[in-house]
């Protein structure tokens, strides 16, 4: 089955985005802590797509590179809509969506760059 890790992480992110969040007073002092969590979750989702692609021994294509950015971004937007309209314990926020999208973008850039570097190293050896 392709994209096993991606599917698993998508399910975990969905659960985390829809359950009530406990109050943690120690984290109230961290500026934009919630935004950082969104950034990391959706960046990790983009990275995981590359990991699954590598495990399947498939190369990168322009369509895959675009989908590695768009899928986490789309899912982040969907989670914000779910939080806003389908939960009573969460709220959807534009800044969360921006953090999701920026995380997906950075995860894609880092993964693509790492992929290309490792390809060059393996060609030399």
């Amino acid at each position: 089955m392709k994209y096993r890790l991606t599917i698993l992480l998508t399910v975990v992110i969905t659960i985390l985005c829809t359950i009530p969040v406990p109050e943690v007073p120690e984290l109230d002092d961290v500026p934009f802590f919630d935004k950082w969590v969104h950034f990391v979750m959706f960046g990790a989702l983009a990275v995981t797509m590359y990991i699954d692609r590598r495990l399947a021994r498939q190369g990168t294509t322009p369509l895959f590179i675009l989908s590695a950015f768009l899928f986490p971004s789309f899912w982040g937007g969907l989670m914000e809509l779910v939080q806003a309209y389908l939960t009573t314990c969460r709220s959807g926020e534009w800044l969360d969506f921006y953090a999701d999208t920026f995380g997906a973008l950075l995860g894609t850039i880092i993964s693509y760059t790492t992929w290309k570097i490792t390809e060059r190293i393996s060609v030399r050896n």
Side-chain angles (χ1 to χ4, degrees):
M1 177 181 188
K2 286 186 192 179
Y3 300 106
R4 225 179 267 171
L5 296 173
T6 301
I7 292 167
L8 176 64
L9 186 55
T10 302
V11 169
V12 169
I13 288 172
T14 301
I15 292 167
L16 291 175
C17 286
T18 55
I19 62 173
V21 179
E23 291 293 323
V24 182
E26 298 83 28
L27 298 178
D28 289 341
D29 295 336
V30 179
F32 303 108
F33 178 76
D34 177 51
K35 306 316 172 229
W36 284 109
V37 170
H38 281 263
F39 174 82
V40 169
M41 283 193 309
F42 290 92
L45 186 55
V47 170
T48 302
M49 289 179 71
Y50 272 87
I51 292 169
D52 271 340
R53 186 84 172 187
R54 181 71 81 153
L55 291 173
R57 302 201 186 287
Q58 297 175 321
T60 59
T61 64
L63 181 60
F64 171 74
I65 296 164
L66 184 62
S67 68
F69 165 68
L70 289 179
F71 175 71
S73 299
F74 166 78
W75 203 257
L78 182 63
M79 289 299 95
E80 292 310 310
L81 291 172
V82 166
Q83 287 176 347
Y85 297 108
L86 299 178
T87 67
T88 57
C89 59
R90 303 294 293 265
S91 63
E93 296 180 29
W94 280 105
L95 286 179
D96 286 349
F97 174 65
Y98 297 147
D100 301 341
T101 302
F102 188 63
L105 177 63
L106 193 59
T108 300
I109 290 169
I110 289 170
S111 296
Y112 178 77
T113 304
T114 303
W115 187 298
K116 289 302 176 185
I117 289 169
T118 57
E119 273 184 348
R120 287 186 184 143
I121 290 171
S122 66
V123 167
R124 289 181 188 164
N125 292 332

